[in-house]
């Protein structure tokens, strides 16, 4: 079935502002409350699932939606809004057919005959999850797939890349770019061995190092962390099990008896170099940053006590346990001791930093604050200060929800937090979509500018920022 722009579905992820939009649009001269800063120059980007053709609406999972980018280009106090589908091969096949070709993750066991044409990819590269920017190239990412290059600012799809045939494994939605070396570290997880593979791509975009990482069984390793010297792998208990799915259970589930451990490997190490450190059992979907500090490695991330929002689903009995909190691990490489602590009482996810400092010590972490009663919903933004151990928050207001806020440095920024936080927010009472710009040095004060987008911007996944050249 094809979706329409009306939002009336019994599926949570197809209803209200989760519902897709079908039109690609542009907008200039938008109404603005406040003033867009003139030292904000570049492209704010947000990608997410936007399904067009759905095999089974009741079984639709939000991870299945076609990738759509919503972007605002900033220059000299002006803003240009665009939204575009990512024109992947699978998306184009379904457009040509005018109906579904790929069934979706919850319908893998459905006996309906396949519609995937001979020679076409067996699985759909959705390019719907996150972004990375490396070697002057923007990539839209989908972790079972190859990265898809996107042209800025028009958002034209250039196509999937495999780094001259050297990329042989899935590519995480969360690679790490060390801007001091220009290197991009990435990995992928799979249902079959090797369950994890890791690669390094140099500053010129050449894949120069790959190694398998041995773990006992496949897990949902959505993110990892990288320091100046080491790469960290999270063998945590959100497990992947095809046999469990065949038996009628979930393919993705929280299995606490699996335990939690962090693998530490030199940036250009191999499987034999990995040291594993047992940690308190919990779940991590998104890391904030990691760095080297004396004999220790410090990693910060959003950690939930039991399952997480990805595997808990809509029926989680205790949202407080599945919603993450900002958390820190200190791994002493000499003594082997790991110290852990919760950093902030706020329940949050989508932790972000100033990306120019990734893989190196950072003072500040920004994150989206969970609504305590509605699943998959964020009603504020926070800033955590590692030096003062304090949290500043801004709440969007009643019946207003947003997503990931990304840090955008000012032109000629002078310090780590000299910039802005940018995010999309939906006022569900009025139906108005907004782009908020907050001063990162004074988050609690609220937006310095609110752009009233004349078209609906559905909720999505991750955001990105690419500064103007």
């Amino acid at each position: 079935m094809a979706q329409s722009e009306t939002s009336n579905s019994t599926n949570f992820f197809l209803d209200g502002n989760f519902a897709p939009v079908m039109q690609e649009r542009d907008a200039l001269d938008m109404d603005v409350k406040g003033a867009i800063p003139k030292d904000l120059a570049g492209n704010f980007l947000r990608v997410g699932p936007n399904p067009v053709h759905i095999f089974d609406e009741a079984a639709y999972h939000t991870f299945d939606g076609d990738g759509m980018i919503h972007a605002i280009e900033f220059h000299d106090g002006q803003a240009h809004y665009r939204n575009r589908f990512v024109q992947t091969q699978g998306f184009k096949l379904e457009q040509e057919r005018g109906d579904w070709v790929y069934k979706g993750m919850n319908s893998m066991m459905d006996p309906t005959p396949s519609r995937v044409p001979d020679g076409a990819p067996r699985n759909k590269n959705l390019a719907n999850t996150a972004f990375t920017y490396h070697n002057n190239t923007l990539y839209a990412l989908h972790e079972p797939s190859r990265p898809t290059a996107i042209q800025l600012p028009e958002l034209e799809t250039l196509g999937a890349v495999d780094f001259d045939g050297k990329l042989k494994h899935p590519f995480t939605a969360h690679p790490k770019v060390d801007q001091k070396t220009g290197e991009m570290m990435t990995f992928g997880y799979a249902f079959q061995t090797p369950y994890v593979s890791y690669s390094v791509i140099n500053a010129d975009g050449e894949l120069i190092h790959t190694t398998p990482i041995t773990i006992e069984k496949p897990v949902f390793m959505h993110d990892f962390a990288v320091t100046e010297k080491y790469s960290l792998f999270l063998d945590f208990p959100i497990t992947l099990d095809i046999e469990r799915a065949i038996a009628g259970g979930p393919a993705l589930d929280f299995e606490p008896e699996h335990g939690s451990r962090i693998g530490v490997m030199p940036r250009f190490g191999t499987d034999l170099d990995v040291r594993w450190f047992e940690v308190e059992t919990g779940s991590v979907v998104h890391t904030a940053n990691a760095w080297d500090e004396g004999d220790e490695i410090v990693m910060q991330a959003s950690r939930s006590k039991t399952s997480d929002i990805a595997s808990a689903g809509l029926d989680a009995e205790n949202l407080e346990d599945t919603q993450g909190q900002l958390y820190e691990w200190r791994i002493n490489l000499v003594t082997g001791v790991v110290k852990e602590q919760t950093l902030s009482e706020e329940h949050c996810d989508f932790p972000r930093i100033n990306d120019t400092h990734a893989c190196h010590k950072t003072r500040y972490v920004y994150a989206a604050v969970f609504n305590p009663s509605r699943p998959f919903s964020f009603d504020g933004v926070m800033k955590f200060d590692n030096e003062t151990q304090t949290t500043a928050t801004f709440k969007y207001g009643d019946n207003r929800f947003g997503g990931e806020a990304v840090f955008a440095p000012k032109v000629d920024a002078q310090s780590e937090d000299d910039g802005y936080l940018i995010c999309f927010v939906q006022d569900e009472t009025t139906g108005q979509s907004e782009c908020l710009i907050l001063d990162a040095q004074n988050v609690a004060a609220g937006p310095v500018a609110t752009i009233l987008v004349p078209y609906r911007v559905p909720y999505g996944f991750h955001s990105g920022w690419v500064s103007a050249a």
Side-chain angles (χ1 to χ4, degrees):
M1 61 168 291
Q3 288 295 301
S4 69
E5 298 222 8
T6 58
S7 55
N8 183 20
S9 174
T10 56
N11 187 314
F12 180 85
F13 294 111
L14 296 172
D15 190 43
N17 198 49
F18 286 97
V21 296
M22 293 299 111
Q23 298 299 314
E24 297 180 328
R25 296 173 166 125
D26 286 68
L28 287 162
D29 300 320
M30 294 176 283
D31 291 338
V32 179
K33 297 177 182 178
I36 299 171
K38 291 194 175 183
D39 56 4
L40 179 63
N43 295 271
F44 167 63
L45 308 144
R46 212 288 319 284
V47 71
N50 198 88
V52 179
H53 301 290
I54 296 176
F55 168 70
D56 180 348
E57 182 174 326
Y60 170 79
H61 192 288
T62 187
F63 291 172
D64 291 335
D66 301 293
M68 176 178 274
I69 300 171
H70 296 261
I72 297 186
E73 179 186 5
F74 292 98
H75 176 69
D76 196 30
Q78 303 297 312
H80 182 167
Y81 165 83
R82 299 176 177 89
N83 72 307
R84 300 288 188 273
F85 281 103
V86 184
Q87 300 277 335
T88 65
Q89 188 173 351
F91 173 79
K92 290 190 282 189
L93 279 173
E94 292 186 329
Q95 290 296 93
E96 291 166 6
R97 185 182 180 97
D99 201 354
W100 68 269
V101 171
Y102 297 90
K103 296 179 190 176
M105 63 181 290
N106 284 341
S107 300
M108 290 186 294
M109 305 304 164
D110 186 278
T112 303
S114 171
R115 289 181 174 180
V116 181
D118 291 341
R122 305 313 298 170
N123 298 296
K124 194 177 181 184
N125 181 350
L126 295 161
N128 69 3
T129 310
F131 300 103
T132 192
Y133 187 75
H134 180 249
N135 188 30
N136 297 315
T137 304
L138 175 69
Y139 297 102
L141 306 173
H142 176 239
E143 60 204 48
S145 309
R146 293 182 293 165
T148 300
I150 304 293
Q151 180 70 49
L152 287 172
E154 296 85 1
L155 308 182
E156 176 187 354
T157 302
L158 302 178
V161 300
D162 61 7
F163 300 96
D164 295 323
K166 295 180 180 178
L167 179 65
K168 304 295 187 182
H169 58 78
F171 194 100
T172 177
H174 297 291
K176 309 303 176 190
V177 178
D178 184 342
Q179 295 198 16
K180 292 188 179 181
T181 66
E183 292 161 344
M184 175 165 64
M185 282 56 68
T186 187
F187 76 99
Y189 64 89
F191 281 91
Q192 65 284 335
T193 56
Y195 295 133
V196 179
S197 300
Y198 164 83
S199 292
V200 180
I201 298 160
N202 70 14
D204 296 322
E206 180 184 2
L207 197 155
I208 57 173
H209 177 72
T210 296
T211 183
I213 305 294
T214 298
I215 58 176
E216 293 181 359
K217 65 191 300 184
V219 298
F220 176 63
M221 196 180 293
H222 181 67
D223 203 349
F224 77 143
V226 176
T227 74
E228 183 178 2
K229 299 177 182 177
Y230 299 98
S231 293
L232 284 63
F233 303 94
L234 310 181
D235 185 10
F236 279 34
I238 307 176
T239 60
L240 302 169
D241 194 327
I242 290 294
E243 292 183 1
R244 187 169 59 207
I246 292 173
L252 186 76
D253 201 10
F254 180 66
E255 195 176 329
E257 59 270 25
H258 181 79
S260 297
R261 60 182 188 155
I262 299 172
V264 177
M265 185 188 74
R267 182 174 293 188
F268 286 93
T270 68
D271 196 15
L272 295 175
D273 299 315
V274 181
R275 293 177 61 189
W276 291 101
F277 297 85
E278 301 289 333
V279 297
E280 196 76 25
T281 298
S283 296
V284 169
V285 179
H286 298 118
T287 65
N289 193 27
W291 61 85
D292 304 306
E293 193 170 294
D295 294 335
E296 293 183 325
I297 290 173
V298 181
M299 185 179 79
Q300 297 183 336
S302 172
R303 173 190 176 273
S304 51
K305 295 185 178 80
T306 58
S307 186
D308 72 290
I309 58 171
S311 58
L314 297 170
D315 301 321
E317 294 182 0
N318 189 348
L319 275 183
E320 188 171 290
D321 284 347
T322 65
Q323 293 178 342
Q325 292 173 287
L326 195 61
Y327 198 83
E328 179 181 88
W329 297 258
R330 286 183 171 266
I331 303 170
N332 190 304
L333 297 178
V334 176
T335 66
V337 172
V338 182
K339 297 179 181 177
E340 309 178 43
Q341 65 171 328
T342 300
L343 296 176
S344 175
E345 292 304 310
E346 292 284 353
H347 287 82
C348 66
D349 208 322
F350 294 148
R352 296 297 298 257
I353 61 165
N354 178 338
D355 287 336
T356 61
H357 296 270
C359 311
H360 302 271
K361 186 173 182 178
T362 41
R363 176 174 174 178
Y364 304 106
V365 179
Y366 312 96
V369 176
F370 278 112
N371 179 279
S373 59
R374 192 172 95 162
F376 289 87
S377 299
F378 300 92
D379 60 7
V381 64
M382 62 174 266
K383 174 186 181 180
F384 178 76
D385 185 333
N386 275 298
E387 188 170 300
T388 63
Q389 295 284 295
T390 56
T391 304
T393 61
F394 171 72
K395 293 299 185 72
Y396 301 134
D398 291 343
N399 215 28
R400 291 166 55 83
F401 302 95
E404 184 172 58
V406 68
F407 180 86
K410 291 180 182 178
V411 176
D412 299 323
Q414 301 299 306
S415 62
E416 181 189 327
D417 67 341
D418 192 13
Y420 303 97
L421 294 181
I422 310 177
C423 62
F424 284 119
V425 167
Q426 182 74 6
D427 188 318
E428 294 195 356
T429 300
T430 64
Q432 176 67 55
S433 296
E434 303 171 356
C435 177
L436 271 55
I437 304 169
L438 292 85
D439 183 345
Q441 294 182 336
N442 193 4
V443 169
V448 297
T450 300
I451 303 169
L452 303 181
V453 182
Y455 309 113
R456 186 170 66 84
V457 179
Y459 300 125
F461 293 149
H462 289 284
S463 299
W465 172 263
V466 178
S467 293

